[in-house]
Structures are given as C-alpha cells and as structure tokens.
Amino acid sequence: MSGNEQTTPEPAATPAVTGERADLLEVLAKHRHFLRLTTRDLTDEQAGLRTTASELCLGGLIKHVTAVERGWANFIVEGPSAMGDFADKTEADLARWADEFRMLPGDTLAGVLDNYAEVARRTDDLVATLPDLDAAWPLPKAPWFEPGAHWSARRVLMHIVAETAQHAGHADIIRESLDGAKSMG
C-alpha cells in the first residue's frame, strides 16, 4: 500500500444470534427489504411524490419508519424518557413529526436509505447484544397506549416488525400508483 492510501476499519461483527433473536432479525430484515425495494430505480423527485389521497410518499414513509425504529430502539435502552409523553409535545415537535412523512428540500433518496440502513444496523446490534428481551419499561403517556402498560424489549421489537410490515404494504400501493411497479405481489 502506498503512503496515500487509507484503510477503513472493518465494523465490529455483530455476535452470531440463534433462536428467538435470529427469528426476530430475519423477519425484520424481510420487511425492511420489501420497504426498500419499493424505491428501486426512483429519482429523488419520484420518491417525494404523493400518488394516493393520503399525504404519504415513498421517501417520507422510509423517513417515518426510520424515526419510529430509532425511537423504539432508544426506548429499549433508555425507557420512556427517550420518547416523552404525548401531552408534552410542542407545535415544533408535531411539525417535525409531520416532516417525517415527506421528502423535504435537501432530502435525497440515497440519504434517506443510508439513514435507514444505519438505524437498522443499530437495532440489529441491539437485538444481538441486549442482555434480556424480557426487560421492560412503562410506556410513555399517549392516548393510544393503555395507561400503566409496560412493554418488554421483545414486545417493542415485535412492534417495530409490525410497523415496518404495515408501511411496506403502504409503500407497495404508492409505488404501484406511481408507475405500476410492484414489490409484493
């Protein structure tokens, strides 16, 4: 190697997982794949187009799923303080949440997908290394959560899988409406 070349260190390998953790990672990877697949061969502009009556676009859906996965992974580690109570949300918080559903000026599809991949790697590492999937925290206060409910890390991971699968289906409909391409049927 010449003196001008740099090497990038290899990322630390995620420990091999088996059993329940391997199952969780496998099903999550499958649904992530379907979600990402809906954006194949699209431009940034196409990723931001609304093709149905809803406000959803493909890039915005991926931004939303990224934020949801990041938030729930933080909840597993930090508890309800990572998410905050719904009643404490400001107008600015709600505006940021709404921006998760659309491509904003400066957003690129490549950047959105890279961010999603980074969050996915973090979640996968968490699944592999978390000492106890039964560890639970109380849910933050929100109208859609049962008061006083607690979710284990396992329950949170199942929720991430469900969110990803649901939004992959939404994305497939949006993509089919955009140009007829399908990823799931």
Side-chain angles (χ1 to χ4, degrees):
M1 194 182 322
S2 72
N4 296 359
E5 296 176 24
Q6 295 181 355
T7 60
T8 304
E10 290 293 321
T14 300
V17 293
T18 59
E20 176 183 23
R21 291 173 194 250
D23 291 344
L24 285 166
L25 290 173
E26 182 181 340
V27 74
L28 185 53
K30 172 184 155 188
H31 293 296
R32 286 176 180 149
H33 166 76
F34 281 127
L35 179 59
R36 285 190 306 264
L37 185 62
T38 63
T39 66
R40 69 193 176 285
D41 304 324
L42 293 182
T43 65
D44 294 338
E45 181 183 0
Q46 289 171 313
L49 291 177
R50 291 177 42 213
T51 64
T52 65
S54 81
E55 293 290 321
L56 300 175
C57 68
L58 291 171
L61 267 176
I62 293 174
K63 285 175 61 175
H64 172 67
V65 172
T66 300
V68 165
E69 185 169 325
R70 179 187 300 115
W72 282 111
N74 289 342
F75 174 85
I76 289 172
V77 175
E78 302 167 27
S81 65
M83 301 177 98
D85 292 337
F86 181 76
D88 296 334
K89 301 290 183 196
T90 65
E91 289 296 321
D93 294 330
L94 297 175
R96 277 190 297 279
W97 176 79
D99 284 345
E100 290 174 9
F101 292 93
R102 58 182 152 258
M103 294 286 281
L104 301 175
D107 283 345
T108 65
L109 181 56
V112 167
L113 290 169
D114 286 348
N115 194 27
Y116 186 40
E118 179 182 322
V119 167
R121 278 190 296 276
R122 179 177 175 246
T123 302
D124 291 353
D125 288 343
L126 183 62
V127 171
T129 61
L130 194 66
D132 184 4
L133 292 179
D134 289 323
W137 294 99
L139 291 173
K141 292 178 184 160
W144 46 87
F145 293 135
E146 178 185 338
H150 288 66
W151 278 10
S152 68
R154 176 183 297 102
R155 175 64 182 89
V156 169
L157 293 167
M158 290 188 303
H159 181 70
I160 292 170
V161 169
E163 281 272 330
T164 305
Q166 178 178 12
H167 289 309
H170 292 149
D172 198 43
I173 292 167
I174 293 169
R175 179 61 191 259
E176 187 173 3
S177 297
L178 179 66
D179 64 4
K182 295 188 216 177
S183 58
M184 299 176 72

